[in-house]
PDB file of all heavy atoms in Angstrom:
ATOM      1  N   MET T 277    -103.553-155.721  72.364  1.00 50.00           N
ATOM      2  CA  MET T 277    -103.350-155.656  73.779  1.00 50.00           C
ATOM      3  C   MET T 277    -102.586-156.894  74.263  1.00 50.00           C
ATOM      4  O   MET T 277    -101.707-156.779  75.093  1.00 50.00           O
ATOM      5  CB  MET T 277    -104.696-155.561  74.480  1.00 50.00           C
ATOM      6  CG  MET T 277    -104.569-155.538  75.973  1.00 50.00           C
ATOM      7  SD  MET T 277    -106.143-155.098  76.660  1.00 50.00           S
ATOM      8  CE  MET T 277    -105.808-155.371  78.334  1.00 50.00           C
ATOM      9  N   PHE T 278    -102.923-158.083  73.736  1.00 48.00           N
ATOM     10  CA  PHE T 278    -102.238-159.299  74.174  1.00 48.00           C
ATOM     11  C   PHE T 278    -100.762-159.271  73.775  1.00 48.00           C
ATOM     12  O   PHE T 278     -99.923-159.755  74.521  1.00 48.00           O
ATOM     13  CB  PHE T 278    -102.908-160.540  73.591  1.00 48.00           C
ATOM     14  CG  PHE T 278    -104.244-160.824  74.216  1.00 48.00           C
ATOM     15  CD1 PHE T 278    -105.404-160.704  73.494  1.00 48.00           C
ATOM     16  CD2 PHE T 278    -104.320-161.203  75.550  1.00 48.00           C
ATOM     17  CE1 PHE T 278    -106.626-160.968  74.067  1.00 48.00           C
ATOM     18  CE2 PHE T 278    -105.551-161.470  76.130  1.00 48.00           C
ATOM     19  CZ  PHE T 278    -106.719-161.349  75.395  1.00 48.00           C
ATOM     20  N   LEU T 279    -100.456-158.690  72.603  1.00 51.00           N
ATOM     21  CA  LEU T 279     -99.061-158.611  72.190  1.00 51.00           C
ATOM     22  C   LEU T 279     -98.261-157.720  73.124  1.00 51.00           C
ATOM     23  O   LEU T 279     -97.119-158.013  73.444  1.00 51.00           O
ATOM     24  CB  LEU T 279     -98.948-158.110  70.752  1.00 51.00           C
ATOM     25  CG  LEU T 279     -99.267-159.129  69.677  1.00 51.00           C
ATOM     26  CD1 LEU T 279     -99.176-158.477  68.301  1.00 51.00           C
ATOM     27  CD2 LEU T 279     -98.329-160.304  69.751  1.00 51.00           C
ATOM     28  N   SER T 280     -98.847-156.620  73.560  1.00 53.00           N
ATOM     29  CA  SER T 280     -98.106-155.735  74.464  1.00 53.00           C
ATOM     30  C   SER T 280     -97.903-156.392  75.825  1.00 53.00           C
ATOM     31  O   SER T 280     -96.855-156.257  76.438  1.00 53.00           O
ATOM     32  CB  SER T 280     -98.817-154.389  74.608  1.00 53.00           C
ATOM     33  OG  SER T 280    -100.096-154.573  75.179  1.00 53.00           O
ATOM     34  N   VAL T 281     -98.898-157.133  76.303  1.00 50.00           N
ATOM     35  CA  VAL T 281     -98.742-157.843  77.574  1.00 50.00           C
ATOM     36  C   VAL T 281     -97.710-158.952  77.417  1.00 50.00           C
ATOM     37  O   VAL T 281     -96.840-159.137  78.263  1.00 50.00           O
ATOM     38  CB  VAL T 281    -100.103-158.414  78.057  1.00 50.00           C
ATOM     39  CG1 VAL T 281     -99.912-159.330  79.258  1.00 50.00           C
ATOM     40  CG2 VAL T 281    -101.054-157.289  78.381  1.00 50.00           C
ATOM     41  N   GLY T 282     -97.765-159.687  76.309  1.00 51.00           N
ATOM     42  CA  GLY T 282     -96.797-160.751  76.054  1.00 51.00           C
ATOM     43  C   GLY T 282     -95.399-160.214  75.881  1.00 51.00           C
ATOM     44  O   GLY T 282     -94.434-160.818  76.331  1.00 51.00           O
ATOM     45  N   ALA T 283     -95.270-159.048  75.234  1.00 53.00           N
ATOM     46  CA  ALA T 283     -93.952-158.454  75.043  1.00 53.00           C
ATOM     47  C   ALA T 283     -93.342-158.034  76.365  1.00 53.00           C
ATOM     48  O   ALA T 283     -92.133-158.072  76.541  1.00 53.00           O
ATOM     49  CB  ALA T 283     -94.052-157.257  74.099  1.00 53.00           C
ATOM     50  N   THR T 284     -94.168-157.642  77.304  1.00 55.00           N
ATOM     51  CA  THR T 284     -93.667-157.281  78.621  1.00 55.00           C
ATOM     52  C   THR T 284     -93.098-158.509  79.318  1.00 55.00           C
ATOM     53  O   THR T 284     -92.051-158.452  79.967  1.00 55.00           O
ATOM     54  CB  THR T 284     -94.803-156.679  79.477  1.00 55.00           C
ATOM     55  OG1 THR T 284     -95.364-155.586  78.773  1.00 55.00           O
ATOM     56  CG2 THR T 284     -94.289-156.225  80.814  1.00 55.00           C
ATOM     57  N   ALA T 285     -93.746-159.658  79.147  1.00 53.00           N
ATOM     58  CA  ALA T 285     -93.305-160.880  79.819  1.00 53.00           C
ATOM     59  C   ALA T 285     -92.083-161.498  79.156  1.00 53.00           C
ATOM     60  O   ALA T 285     -91.172-161.952  79.816  1.00 53.00           O
ATOM     61  CB  ALA T 285     -94.446-161.889  79.854  1.00 53.00           C
ATOM     62  N   VAL T 286     -92.051-161.515  77.827  1.00 53.00           N
ATOM     63  CA  VAL T 286     -90.948-162.168  77.136  1.00 53.00           C
ATOM     64  C   VAL T 286     -89.917-161.209  76.578  1.00 53.00           C
ATOM     65  O   VAL T 286     -88.845-161.633  76.208  1.00 53.00           O
ATOM     66  CB  VAL T 286     -91.464-163.065  75.986  1.00 53.00           C
ATOM     67  CG1 VAL T 286     -91.361-164.495  76.245  1.00 53.00           C
ATOM     68  CG2 VAL T 286     -92.745-162.639  75.430  1.00 53.00           C
ATOM     69  N   ARG T 288     -90.014-159.399  73.763  1.00 51.00           N
ATOM     70  CA  ARG T 288     -89.921-159.243  72.313  1.00 51.00           C
ATOM     71  C   ARG T 288     -91.313-159.077  71.737  1.00 51.00           C
ATOM     72  O   ARG T 288     -92.293-159.592  72.267  1.00 51.00           O
ATOM     73  CB  ARG T 288     -89.187-160.396  71.651  1.00 51.00           C
ATOM     74  CG  ARG T 288     -89.828-161.732  71.858  1.00 51.00           C
ATOM     75  CD  ARG T 288     -88.986-162.824  71.239  1.00 51.00           C
ATOM     76  NE  ARG T 288     -89.758-164.048  71.244  1.00 51.00           N
ATOM     77  CZ  ARG T 288     -89.661-164.996  70.369  1.00 51.00           C
ATOM     78  NH1 ARG T 288     -88.811-164.876  69.383  1.00 51.00           N
ATOM     79  NH2 ARG T 288     -90.403-166.068  70.448  1.00 51.00           N
ATOM     80  N   ASP T 289     -91.390-158.353  70.640  1.00 53.00           N
ATOM     81  CA  ASP T 289     -92.663-158.061  70.013  1.00 53.00           C
ATOM     82  C   ASP T 289     -92.387-157.697  68.562  1.00 53.00           C
ATOM     83  O   ASP T 289     -91.267-157.405  68.178  1.00 53.00           O
ATOM     84  CB  ASP T 289     -93.329-156.896  70.753  1.00 53.00           C
ATOM     85  CG  ASP T 289     -94.770-156.680  70.306  1.00 53.00           C
ATOM     86  OD1 ASP T 289     -95.310-157.550  69.613  1.00 53.00           O
ATOM     87  OD2 ASP T 289     -95.341-155.650  70.666  1.00 53.00           O
ATOM     88  N   GLY T 290     -93.411-157.705  67.773  1.00 58.00           N
ATOM     89  CA  GLY T 290     -93.285-157.250  66.407  1.00 58.00           C
ATOM     90  C   GLY T 290     -92.862-158.336  65.451  1.00 58.00           C
ATOM     91  O   GLY T 290     -92.973-159.520  65.732  1.00 58.00           O
ATOM     92  N   ALA T 293     -90.752-161.597  66.367  1.00 55.00           N
ATOM     93  CA  ALA T 293     -91.441-162.568  67.219  1.00 55.00           C
ATOM     94  C   ALA T 293     -92.515-163.336  66.473  1.00 55.00           C
ATOM     95  O   ALA T 293     -92.825-164.461  66.822  1.00 55.00           O
ATOM     96  CB  ALA T 293     -92.064-161.857  68.416  1.00 55.00           C
ATOM     97  N   THR T 294     -93.064-162.730  65.436  1.00 61.00           N
ATOM     98  CA  THR T 294     -94.159-163.376  64.718  1.00 61.00           C
ATOM     99  C   THR T 294     -93.752-163.895  63.339  1.00 61.00           C
ATOM    100  O   THR T 294     -94.594-164.403  62.610  1.00 61.00           O
ATOM    101  CB  THR T 294     -95.331-162.392  64.561  1.00 61.00           C
ATOM    102  OG1 THR T 294     -94.875-161.230  63.853  1.00 61.00           O
ATOM    103  CG2 THR T 294     -95.890-162.000  65.914  1.00 61.00           C
TER     104      THR T 294
END
Side-chain angles (χ1 to χ4, degrees):
M277 178 169 172
F278 288 112
L279 283 177
S280 62
V281 171
T284 305
V286 252
R288 60 184 190 149
D289 190 12
T294 59

